[in-house]
Amino acid sequence: MCNPEVSVIAFDSTEFNILHVLDEMSNRGWHLNALQNPSGMHIAVTKMHTQPGVAQRFVKDLRDCVKEIMRKDDRKMGKTVNLKIKFDIF
């Protein structure tokens, strides 16, 4: 085993509703978690995230999402996040 410096990274913003980023990242296949009071999001870094190219793809997708959101006039609007929840019943 190792001694990671961090395993959870949290994000927030004063420039736009951070939950828009959560939605956009979800649309790109990333599984992030919403935070509240204040609004934010975080990613739990796992072994999968250490695979070659994954961190670079995450940063690229995050930058692209923020750029897209910053172009929108309503970037500060909204207080909820679009969550797609699937329940598997055994």
Side-chain angles (χ1 to χ4, degrees):
M1 294 305 223
C2 64
N3 295 317
E5 290 184 28
V6 293
S7 60
V8 175
I9 302 169
F11 306 86
D12 72 350
S13 175
T14 58
E15 298 299 316
F16 55 86
N17 182 339
I18 193 70
L19 299 179
H20 291 310
V21 175
L22 185 67
D23 289 339
E24 292 298 324
M25 291 294 281
S26 179
N27 291 338
R28 294 169 189 247
W30 294 100
H31 301 286
L32 306 170
N33 301 96
L35 303 172
Q36 62 180 10
N37 300 323
S39 294
M41 66 179 198
H42 78 264
I43 182 171
V45 179
T46 66
K47 186 175 181 180
M48 185 220 39
H49 297 107
T50 67
Q51 300 300 312
V54 174
Q56 291 83 357
R57 193 174 89 239
F58 178 82
V59 171
K60 180 190 180 315
D61 286 349
L62 184 61
R63 283 184 178 147
D64 291 347
C65 288
V66 170
K67 285 179 188 176
E68 185 175 320
I69 290 163
M70 289 302 290
R71 287 189 206 112
K72 297 178 181 177
D73 290 334
D74 67 346
R75 65 183 172 266
K76 289 193 175 190
M77 303 288 285
K79 294 185 179 183
T80 61
V81 61
N82 297 324
L83 294 177
K84 297 178 184 102
I85 301 174
K86 178 183 174 187
F87 292 96
D88 291 325
I89 300 175
F90 298 95

